[in-house]
């Protein structure tokens, strides 16, 4: 099987065609207005451990804004987790989701399973009031202010 056939099987080409048409209709740049700091009602669409560009373990979370002028825009939380304080930041964030009783890091494999379990527990069940700020060094800071059950 050729690489092209593999891509055609593994990528939703019909969906991609629709995305292409939409991009071309809107100018095709793929550039979006940056979401300003503020408080937004969001759902979490993805949450996982990934590999950073440097190959380090990284926590990734994708938020989708549900209301207001930036409805359907996304915010992305990326936190490399190779040091204790970094994992501590992610632990505080995960606890703020109110999805599981215990959040702790033992190994990366265990932590990945925990994150996937939390994602499963909140997916389509919880939404959040998210405060998005920037640090003095312009790094994004994400804080869950409230948790809502989806009705």
């Amino acid at each position: 099987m050729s690489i092209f056939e593999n891509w055609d099987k593994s990528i939703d080409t019909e969906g991609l065609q629709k995305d292409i048409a939409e991009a071309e209709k809107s100018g095709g740049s793929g550039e979006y207005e940056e979401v300003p700091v503020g408080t937004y009602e969001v759902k979490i669409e993805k949450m996982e451990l990934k590999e950073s560009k440097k190959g380090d373990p990284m926590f990734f979370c994708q938020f989708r804004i549900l209301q207001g002028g930036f409805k359907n825009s996304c915010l992305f939380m990326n936190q490399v987790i190779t040091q204790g304080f970094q994992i501590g930041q992610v632990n505080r964030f995960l606890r703020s989701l109110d999805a599981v009783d215990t959040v702790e890091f033992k190994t990366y494999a265990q932590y990945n399973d925990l994150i996937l379990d939390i994602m499963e527990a909140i997916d389509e069940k919880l939404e959040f009031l998210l405060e998005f700020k920037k640090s003095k060094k312009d790094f994004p800071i994400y804080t869950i202010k409230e948790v809502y059950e989806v009705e």
Side-chain angles (χ1 to χ4, degrees), residues 39-44 47 61 63 77 89-90 92-99 122 126-133 141-148:
T39 303
Y40 301 95
E41 191 170 326
V42 301
K43 68 178 178 177
I44 294 177
M47 191 167 58
C61 185
F63 306 97
M77 179 180 181
Q89 288 176 341
V90 174
R92 279 189 295 282
F93 173 78
L94 293 173
R95 287 182 189 116
S96 73
L97 301 176
D98 285 337
I122 66 173
L126 298 178
E127 294 174 351
F128 307 92
L129 187 63
L130 178 74
E131 181 182 51
F132 167 50
K133 300 190 294 190
I141 301 169
Y142 301 98
T143 307
I144 299 294
K145 293 297 194 179
E146 291 189 43
V147 178
Y148 309 106

Side-chain angles (χ1 to χ4, degrees), residues 16-26:
L16 193 54
Q17 290 171 30
K18 292 175 188 172
D19 291 346
I20 292 166
E22 182 63 33
E24 289 176 350
K25 188 169 69 174
S26 65

Side-chain angles (χ1 to χ4, degrees), residues 80-111:
V80 171
I81 52 171
T82 57
Q83 299 180 39
F85 80 92
Q86 296 166 329
I87 294 170
Q89 288 176 341
V90 174
N91 282 350
R92 279 189 295 282
F93 173 78
L94 293 173
R95 287 182 189 116
S96 73
L97 301 176
D98 285 337
V100 295
D101 292 331
T102 304
V103 173
E104 64 182 353
F105 175 91
K106 293 181 182 175
T107 67
Y108 287 105
Q110 167 269 332
Y111 206 53

Side-chain angles (χ1 to χ4, degrees), residues 9-94:
K9 281 186 172 184
S10 65
I11 297 173
D12 175 14
T13 55
E14 287 180 21
L16 193 54
Q17 290 171 30
K18 292 175 188 172
D19 291 346
I20 292 166
E22 182 63 33
E24 289 176 350
K25 188 169 69 174
S26 65
S29 68
E31 293 182 25
Y32 300 93
E33 185 177 356
E34 186 175 329
V35 176
V37 296
T39 303
Y40 301 95
E41 191 170 326
V42 301
K43 68 178 178 177
I44 294 177
E45 291 191 331
K46 284 185 185 178
M47 191 167 58
E48 61 190 354
L49 282 187
K50 297 174 95 169
E51 188 174 28
S52 73
K53 290 179 185 175
K54 292 183 179 179
D56 293 326
M58 180 177 72
F59 173 76
F60 170 80
C61 185
Q62 178 178 327
F63 306 97
R64 173 82 54 188
I65 297 174
L66 300 173
Q67 298 178 354
F70 287 90
K71 183 178 180 177
N72 292 322
S73 295
C74 290
L75 292 167
F76 303 95
M77 179 180 181
N78 295 295
Q79 176 64 60
V80 171
I81 52 171
T82 57
Q83 299 180 39
F85 80 92
Q86 296 166 329
I87 294 170
Q89 288 176 341
V90 174
N91 282 350
R92 279 189 295 282
F93 173 78
L94 293 173

